[in-house]
Structures are given as structure tokens and as C-alpha cells.
Amino acid sequence: MGKKPNFIVIMTDDQGYGDLSCMGNTDFVTPNIDALAENGARFTDWYSGSPVCSPSRACLMTGRYPGNAGVRAILAGHRRASGLTSKVPTLASALKREGYQTNLVGKWHLGLAPECRPNQNGYDYFYGFMAGCVDYYSHIFYWGMADGHTNPCHDLWENENEIYDNGNYFTEMVTKKAVERIRECNKKDEPFYLFVGYNAPHYPMHAPKKYMDRFQHLPWDRQVMAAMLSAVDDGVGEIIDELKRCEIYEDTCIFFQSDNGPSRESRNWMDGREDPYYGGLPGGLKGHKFSLFEGGIRVPGIFSWPNRIPAGQVIHEPCGAMDVFPTMLKAAGGKPEEYELDGKDIMEVMMKGAHSPHDAIYWEMDNQTAIRKGNYKLVLNGVLVEGEPVQDTVFLSDLSKDPSESNNLAKIFPELTRELQRMALEWRKGLEKNWEENFAENYDTKLT
């Protein structure tokens, strides 16, 4: 094998399926992210591992379904919070074995306890925050203090050192540090892996005036969404520009994904309103963050690797975040078969037009369970918004004809429904067993 490629994973936070112009958005554009899609492969049926952020990130980083990675729910933000541990290898630790420099800038949200931090989970370098969200300018984690016993917590780190950079906009800080890491890593002979975790457009809805001014024609909820994503898009452009300056763009595999669907949480409004927030678009899909209907888990998925992945592809095969680990590891010369993974190498899907390697893909969230097999999707105990009643106990849809999951086919195809239900519950049973045997004791509800 010749020179090993570099890898960059870019993940946004609570960004809807329909909030990029390359995914159909019309009220603002994202030209730099669009360029990644134009120069590579855009998946229309790409899935996160969960409809919420911590499990979604665990899935991508470990190549496992979240429950098999030891992270099944949104993790707390205080400094005792449990999360991911070195018991489960990450893509970073696997690439490190292959001679890679490993870096993470931005959001972690996989635990703050000493054994759960990025530097203990394969990353040589970490810069960012470890809770679920921070104020974009003070970098303080405020969420949760309304319970009366959780204090605000400053949350900005460089490796194990707490640092302060008050007044600077975090999205721009992530971009600046990502560019610095590319430049520094390129000085060495070893290839690098860089995870760029933008927390935009997760609440609080903050954006500098220069971005807000670009979208004065939009109502506030869309204006601030557009501004926050425009800052991310500018950052993606700066990352690409740096790769080109370093003359390594052609040899760098870049992957872009949102962690889950858009948030309808009322705290997005920031003006005391308590009605659901509609600033993020699920792109005509049903459901949002917290839901196992498509709007909660189908997200933009884009691969760009000029020297290897043919440009201009639009791929409709169902694949997902757990596939990033084996795909990148194998491309680096590693052996995915040496790891316990739920994901599959999908390079042939992008290189040769192969079908998805998955017979079925599964999800679970609280009492919800879902399976996609071919064009059919079954959701058990599906909810549209957290805290609301179950919409349908059993909901079957044909996504090839009904991507918005508008028509319940469960009574029309009873045998198929029973078979998919059997598969989903059998999978869930195995996951629960693995959880109890290997991970449950790591979670003390008094601490997390």
C-alpha cells in the first residue's frame, strides 16, 4: 500500500435532514458543504445511530450500535458523568495503531469522568468541551441547573487542561483549531485523523451579527438557523482551503454528518416562548430529535475523497454512522475484522455501485425500537416529540414510496409486519443482554 490517506470527520449538532442546500433547502445555501457532495458521494438514506447526540456520537466513533458501545442516552454534563470508556475501541484508537496522529476539536459529549475523556479514548489531542452544549461565548454549560441542584460548569479544555477564551464564538474557535491541527499534523510524516465536532446549530441559538446580517430577510427562527449553519459552512470551506494549501486535499477522505434530526425543544426560542421550535427542517420527513421516525435519524451523509471516490454521486442505499469506522480503518490498511463491530465497510458502495452490505439496520431509544430492511421500515412505540404519547404501537412504511411515513401498512402486510417485529425484538433482546453484562454497572443514575 502507498501513502496512507488522512481522514476528517465533520459532525454538526441537531441539524435537520433538509437544512443544507444540497439536501433541498431553498431559503439559504451552504456552498462549501455542497462542494463536498459535488466532489464525492451524497447519501440520501444515511442514518445516525440514534435520535439524540451522545449515543449517535458513540455509534460513529465505535462502529457499534449505541447500546453495544455502552452509551444509550444523553449523558450528563457535570464532571462525574460516566460515558464511553477504553473498554470499547474507537476509530481514533484503531487508527492510532495504524500510525495515525489522532485529534478531536469541538464537542465530545461522551462523558466527563476521568476514564471517559477523549485523551483516554484514543485521541492524542483534544480541544473543546465535554458536556452536551455550552454557551457559544462564555463556554459554560448551563443546561440542567433548573433542577435546583446542578450548578453551571465552565467547559473548555485543551487535553486535560481547563482553559478560558471568553467572548469568542465557539464555531469559529473550532474551525480555527481544526485548521491549526491540519497544519501541525502535516509537518510530520505520519497521516492524521481529525474529528471536527461543531455544536451548531444546537441551542443556545447564538450567532455573530455578521452571520445574522446575511439572512435579514428570514424570520428569526430561520435567520438564526441559517446564520449558525453559515458559520459552519464557512468553517468547512476554511478546512478545505487548508488541505489544499498543504497539498493534501486529494489524499484526504472527508466525511460529513449531522448527529440527529432537528430539535423542537422550546428552549431554542430564547425569548421565553414555550411552544415547539420550528427553525430546523426535517426535509419532509416525519419526526424530529428524540424520534425513531425518519426525521429523527435520517441525516445528511457525505463522503469526499478526490483520489478515490468518484465525484457527483447520489447514493440511495441505506447505510449509517456505524459504517464509518470499518470503512476508514480498512482504507487506512487496518483490519476491521479484528474489532467487534456492527458497521460494515461501504467503500464498494461508493466505488462500484454495490448494494448496502446491511440486511437490516436497527435503532432503539427508550421504549422505541425500529428496523429498516430493504425499503421497509418498522417502528415500535414510535413517538414524534419527547414527552408525547406513543403515536402508533406498530407502524410499517415503504420508504421507497412513502419517505414521510404517512401511511401505516401494518394491517395491509401482516406477515411482513410480524417478521420485522420478530427481528427487531430479537435484536433488542440481544442488545439488552449485552448492556446488562457489560455496561449497566457503569451507570449510576445518581451521578448521570
Side-chain angles (χ1 to χ4, degrees):
M1 186 174 179
K3 182 180 178 182
K4 292 187 176 184
N6 304 305
F7 297 105
I8 298 178
V9 171
I10 302 171
M11 179 174 269
T12 52
D13 199 349
D14 286 5
Q15 177 207 317
Y17 182 82
D19 276 325
L20 300 177
S21 42
C22 65
M23 301 298 291
N25 184 47
T26 58
D27 58 358
F28 62 88
V29 296
T30 48
N32 295 300
I33 299 171
D34 292 358
L36 288 179
E38 292 166 6
N39 294 322
R42 175 173 66 86
F43 285 78
T44 62
D45 292 43
W46 187 267
Y47 289 98
S48 64
S50 171
V52 294
C53 43
S54 296
S56 174
R57 290 159 198 277
C59 176
L60 188 148
M61 290 191 186
T62 67
R64 299 184 183 186
Y65 289 119
N68 291 333
V71 180
R72 296 177 70 184
I74 297 174
L75 299 179
H78 55 70
R79 297 186 182 182
R80 305 181 308 279
S82 298
L84 190 67
T85 71
S86 59
K87 181 176 183 178
V88 178
T90 62
L91 175 57
S93 61
L95 287 175
K96 196 170 180 178
R97 288 180 57 188
E98 304 301 321
Y100 277 72
Q101 308 168 73
T102 57
N103 310 264
L104 187 151
V105 299
K107 177 175 175 174
W108 171 242
H109 202 190
L110 287 169
L112 284 83
E115 68 276 12
C116 300
R117 298 184 174 193
N119 295 124
Q120 281 68 51
N121 284 277
Y123 290 96
D124 298 320
Y125 178 87
F126 166 61
Y127 172 90
F129 69 95
M130 289 186 270
C133 57
V134 290
D135 178 277
Y136 281 77
Y137 294 97
S138 67
H139 320 127
I140 292 174
F141 173 71
Y142 287 106
W143 192 88
M145 60 186 294
D147 64 12
H149 59 77
T150 301
N151 293 329
C153 188
H154 178 261
D155 192 14
L156 182 63
W157 305 81
E158 185 167 35
N159 295 317
E160 293 294 324
N161 301 312
E162 186 176 3
I163 60 174
Y164 290 82
D165 197 2
N166 297 345
N168 287 312
Y169 186 55
F170 191 72
T171 299
E172 295 179 330
M173 293 163 62
V174 169
T175 296
K176 180 180 178 181
K177 188 59 67 172
V179 169
E180 287 179 6
R181 294 315 301 166
I182 292 169
R183 192 173 300 148
E184 288 302 310
C185 288
N186 191 49
K187 294 177 182 178
K188 301 178 182 179
D189 292 333
E190 300 90 357
F192 67 84
Y193 165 60
L194 171 63
F195 183 96
V196 183
Y198 286 109
N199 56 325
H202 194 292
Y203 62 77
M205 308 305 285
H206 287 163
K209 184 176 184 297
K210 65 180 180 180
Y211 297 109
M212 294 292 285
D213 285 350
R214 296 179 185 179
F215 308 102
Q216 295 183 50
H217 61 290
L218 297 176
W220 181 84
D221 56 332
R222 285 301 284 169
Q223 181 188 20
V224 71
M225 177 64 64
M228 295 173 79
L229 286 175
S230 188
V232 170
D233 189 72
D234 283 3
V236 171
E238 290 183 43
I239 289 170
I240 293 171
D241 286 346
E242 183 61 28
L243 293 171
K244 291 179 177 178
R245 276 194 293 269
C246 293
E247 299 182 342
I248 55 175
Y249 171 66
E250 303 288 327
D251 293 317
T252 300
C253 177
I254 304 172
F255 172 69
F256 177 95
Q257 178 194 313
S258 172
D259 65 347
N260 48 249
S263 168
R264 281 188 52 178
E265 295 158 283
S266 62
R267 62 180 65 90
N268 285 281
W269 286 115
M270 289 183 30
D271 61 0
R273 292 172 61 174
E274 295 185 359
D275 56 311
Y277 178 72
Y278 297 100
L281 299 181
L285 303 176
K286 176 181 178 178
H288 301 75
K289 181 180 179 181
F290 295 99
S291 174
L292 290 189
F293 289 110
E294 292 288 280
I297 54 176
R298 193 192 290 202
V299 296
I302 299 169
F303 275 91
S304 174
W305 185 358
N307 271 354
R308 191 162 180 189
I309 297 174
Q313 296 185 79
V314 179
I315 298 174
H316 304 292
E317 295 295 318
C319 300
M322 65 279 195
D323 300 325
V324 174
F325 185 131
T327 301
M328 290 189 170
L329 179 60
K330 189 169 182 180
K335 297 179 178 180
E337 61 271 18
E338 294 180 351
Y339 296 84
E340 186 179 325
L341 303 174
D342 295 308
K344 308 287 186 182
D345 174 20
I346 58 168
M347 193 58 71
E348 288 198 355
V349 177
M350 296 183 281
M351 295 286 293
K352 299 180 180 179
H355 291 300
S356 171
H358 295 282
D359 176 58
I361 302 176
Y362 301 88
W363 299 266
E364 54 99 16
M365 177 72 196
D366 297 329
N367 293 325
Q368 301 176 81
T369 308
I371 176 175
R372 174 167 178 175
K373 181 176 174 60
N375 289 326
Y376 288 98
K377 165 104 175 287
L378 184 77
V379 181
L380 303 176
N381 301 317
V383 298
L384 289 177
V385 181
E386 73 281 8
E388 290 188 357
V390 170
Q391 189 195 56
D392 285 280
T393 304
V394 180
F395 194 101
L396 176 70
S397 56
D398 180 349
L399 296 177
S400 67
K401 300 175 182 177
D402 182 23
S404 63
E405 294 169 294
S406 300
N407 303 307
N408 191 349
L409 304 178
K411 292 182 180 179
I412 299 175
F413 300 111
E415 291 185 11
L416 175 61
T417 300
R418 284 193 292 270
E419 174 60 14
L420 293 181
Q421 186 169 5
R422 180 196 65 77
M423 292 175 65
L425 294 177
E426 186 176 291
W427 170 80
R428 179 86 185 237
K429 182 179 179 181
L431 183 140
E432 297 287 359
K433 182 175 184 293
N434 187 28
W435 175 266
E436 289 300 321
E437 291 177 352
N438 293 296
F439 302 112
E441 66 181 6
N442 189 44
Y443 291 86
D444 182 338
T445 55
K446 294 180 181 179
L447 297 182
T448 61

